[in-house]
Amino acid sequence: MKKILLLTTAIILFKIGFTQGEIKVLFLGNSYTYVNDLPKIIEDIANKEGKKIIHESVTPGGCTLFQHVESQNSLSKIRKGNWDYVILQEQSQLPVIDYYRQNKLKPSYKALYDSIILYNPSAKVVGYMTWGRRYGGQQCVNFGDGLYCSADFVDFNHMQDTLTAAYCENAYATNSYVAPVGEAWKAALLANPELVLHSPDNSHPSYDGSYLAACVFYSVFWNESPVGIFHNELIDDTKAELLQNIANDVVFNNLEKWNLKHENVGENIEKNHFEIINDPFIDNITIKNHDNTSYKIKIFDGKGSLIYEKKCYDKETISTNNNKGLLIIQLIDNKNNTYIKKIVKC
């Protein structure tokens, strides 16, 4: 009898623990989100893993973030409040065209971020990093300010690098997150060039591409590896396993680059271990480790590119090589605790 009671209690506790993790998510984007119904793929995965996602979307075809800023539908969804995550997905070409990136994407992302936090103070804002065209190429569009063009990208990877930089730049400027879907596509195609992640238009996602995106979002939302999660009959076991592993590696091997926080990231590490001395008008920064133990320093520029990396002890004075603007400092102690601090150089 005692064993039965214990077993029953264990099952109840298991079910309680297993079903925790309900989140409310608002997707603001366009067809890159609604093709293959990405939110539904994430929901199906979550349900099978004992989690729950309640989601709503505003995703008209071709919609830009500056159009979301002006959309009463989008704004009313934001003002509804109580969102745990709000996803911002820009029109696919706009971030790679310098004029529109600077004059439309940047201010629109910031305006949406400010509105989201005003009505949802605890929400996490996530930039949905999209992917390059299958063969790269020059992208030219007129969003009302005239016809402007990107560089003539030699291939997918070339275009993806610019998209990655754009999403990281906006995340760093607003202290929001990045869901690195485009980088996961890049890693998957490098691992297996035979994968077809684009649809026949060489722009939108195939189902495999959307499934990989869902794996990335699963990791971002629940801070868990997607390896071994649910997949349906639309994707075979071998391919699903590959995409799950790719998403896992891209997200968790680069947490600092995607501005993602985890349990070991916090101010306490600086207070207990590190002192960072920065004069915005002087090239050098000084880092002191009061424990005199080994630690690693990584510094990223505002575009998310690694500009410095070194294993150090106690005190270290570092030249930033006259890099200006926002810099991201990541410190990893000998217990693998991580601290991330943003500084500015003028």
Side-chain angles (χ1 to χ4, degrees):
M1 182 67 178
K2 186 177 180 181
K3 287 183 178 180
I4 294 173
L5 287 173
L6 286 172
L7 179 60
T8 303
T9 302
I11 291 171
I12 292 170
L13 290 173
F14 173 77
K15 286 184 176 179
I16 292 172
F18 194 57
T19 55
Q20 285 176 343
E22 176 178 302
I23 59 172
K24 297 180 176 65
V25 182
L26 173 62
F27 291 87
L28 300 179
N30 51 56
S31 57
Y32 272 34
T33 297
Y34 76 66
V35 164
N36 300 316
D37 200 348
L38 173 63
K40 183 63 166 59
I41 299 175
I42 300 170
E43 179 186 0
D44 290 343
I45 292 171
N47 289 342
K48 291 292 184 178
E49 299 302 316
K51 298 173 173 58
K52 185 174 182 181
I53 176 172
I54 298 170
H55 57 85
E56 294 184 33
S57 301
V58 183
T59 55
C63 193
T64 65
L65 291 185
F66 69 80
Q67 289 170 329
H68 280 294
V69 171
E70 298 171 350
S71 165
Q72 288 306 309
N73 190 17
S74 300
L75 295 178
S76 67
K77 296 285 188 187
I78 291 171
R79 291 167 185 157
K80 180 179 177 181
N82 204 31
W83 299 111
D84 297 301
Y85 292 88
V86 180
I87 312 306
L88 302 181
Q89 182 247 307
E90 183 56 282
Q91 193 274 348
S92 58
Q93 297 162 292
L94 192 147
V96 301
I97 299 170
D98 190 61
Y99 174 86
Y100 282 112
R101 173 176 168 178
Q102 298 300 325
N103 294 284
K104 293 292 189 180
L105 169 55
K106 246 184 183 178
S108 300
Y109 194 104
K110 180 64 164 59
L112 287 168
Y113 176 88
D114 289 344
S115 182
I116 291 162
I117 297 304
L118 177 64
Y119 291 96
N120 307 264
S122 299
K124 298 175 178 66
V125 179
V126 183
Y128 173 5
M129 179 202 296
T130 56
W131 48 86
R133 295 292 198 267
R134 188 174 186 180
Y135 303 110
Q138 188 175 47
Q139 308 300 313
C140 297
V141 293
N142 185 347
F143 288 114
D145 286 10
L147 182 67
Y148 289 90
C149 296
S150 70
D152 189 3
F153 298 111
V154 297
D155 57 15
F156 168 87
N157 288 345
H158 188 201
M159 186 173 177
Q160 184 57 52
D161 290 343
T162 301
L163 283 163
T164 297
Y167 277 94
C168 287
E169 178 182 52
N170 284 282
Y172 298 160
T174 56
N175 198 29
S176 55
Y177 293 177
V178 179
V181 175
E183 282 294 310
W185 276 44
K186 181 178 176 181
L189 293 170
L190 180 64
N192 183 358
E194 301 303 314
L195 282 173
V196 179
L197 301 180
H198 293 84
S199 67
D201 68 0
N202 299 320
S203 171
H204 288 85
S206 66
Y207 184 84
D208 292 350
S210 292
Y211 180 78
L212 178 52
C215 290
V216 170
F217 275 106
Y218 179 87
S219 295
V220 171
F221 290 157
W222 286 285
N223 192 29
E224 291 182 8
S225 171
V227 176
I229 60 173
F230 165 77
H231 63 277
N232 59 31
E233 67 279 357
L234 296 177
I235 183 168
D236 66 61
D237 293 349
T238 301
K239 189 182 293 179
E241 183 179 0
L242 170 65
L243 298 180
Q244 291 165 10
N245 277 280
I246 292 291
N248 176 80
D249 292 347
V250 168
V251 173
F252 291 106
N253 289 343
N254 300 276
L255 286 170
E256 69 283 353
K257 186 170 183 178
W258 317 133
N259 220 25
L260 293 168
K261 310 295 191 296
H262 54 83
E263 291 180 358
N264 290 330
V265 175
E267 295 292 334
N268 62 304
I269 298 174
E270 183 186 33
K271 291 175 181 176
N272 295 337
H273 300 285
F274 298 109
E275 180 182 356
I276 299 174
I277 302 169
N278 173 52
D279 183 333
F281 299 98
I282 298 176
D283 176 61
N284 292 343
I285 60 172
T286 298
I287 299 173
K288 295 180 180 179
N289 179 15
H290 298 302
D291 285 352
N292 295 320
T293 55
S294 65
Y295 65 102
K296 182 183 288 186
I297 301 171
K298 291 183 179 181
I299 302 178
F300 299 83
D301 65 17
K303 295 181 179 179
S305 299
L306 181 67
I307 61 173
Y308 183 89
E309 182 174 12
K310 185 180 179 182
K311 188 172 184 178
C312 304
Y313 296 85
D314 50 67
K315 180 180 176 181
E316 191 75 19
T317 298
I318 302 162
S319 170
T320 60
N321 295 319
N322 293 315
N323 278 279
K324 305 298 183 184
L326 181 71
L327 298 178
I328 314 297
I329 301 174
Q330 181 198 34
L331 305 174
I332 306 170
D333 69 14
N334 60 358
K335 295 181 180 178
N336 210 35
N337 292 315
T338 302
Y339 171 68
I340 297 174
K341 185 176 181 66
K342 299 181 176 116
I343 64 169
V344 174
K345 287 295 183 184
C346 301

